[in-house]
Amino acid sequence: MASGNAIRGSRVGAGPMGEAERGESAPRLRISFWCSNGHETQPSFASDAQVPDSWDCPRCGFPAGQDRDNPPAPPRTEPYKTHLAYVRERRSDADGEAILAEALAKLRGEI
């Protein structure tokens, strides 16, 4: 059962902080940004701050722009490539066959 003491756990002089203690807040602008999924984000900026051209959407992570009808395209993500995929980009099948034949010849003691 509660004792009814409303200030229990408070320190002396503690009270709600207001504008008088913090000072006046800077004037703000709320700018709308839209991503390609149609999510709207409205971050606030100081009125004298430079507003960026794009903003990351907090819901999906895609870039968002200020034009609702023409949002920025989502970035192309390259799939993970294995070591073998990088080797295949550098070498042709004929090169691979030649290297394999040379390695097998070394193992067999022919070279």
Side-chain angles (χ1 to χ4, degrees):
M1 183 167 164
S3 66
N5 190 351
I7 61 171
R8 182 180 178 126
S10 296
R11 64 180 163 55
V12 176
M17 288 189 54
E19 291 273 332
E21 291 184 28
R22 285 192 304 238
E24 293 184 25
S25 60
R28 296 286 194 182
L29 295 174
R30 291 191 71 79
I31 307 293
S32 293
F33 290 90
W34 287 273
C35 70
S36 59
N37 288 334
H39 303 140
E40 181 183 10
T41 305
Q42 289 186 328
S44 64
F45 298 95
S47 61
D48 59 347
Q50 183 179 2
V51 178
D53 294 332
S54 65
W55 193 261
D56 289 339
C57 178
R59 291 178 64 189
C60 63
F62 287 170
Q66 295 181 32
D67 186 4
R68 181 181 205 161
D69 299 327
N70 191 16
R76 277 192 64 214
T77 56
E78 295 291 327
Y80 174 77
K81 289 185 182 179
T82 63
H83 175 71
L84 182 59
Y86 284 111
V87 170
R88 285 185 176 162
E89 285 180 0
R90 291 193 319 264
R91 306 211 186 256
S92 67
D93 288 339
D95 291 340
E97 291 292 329
I99 292 170
L100 178 63
E102 183 182 334
L104 288 174
K106 278 184 182 180
L107 285 175
R108 293 181 183 137
E110 297 171 4
I111 293 182

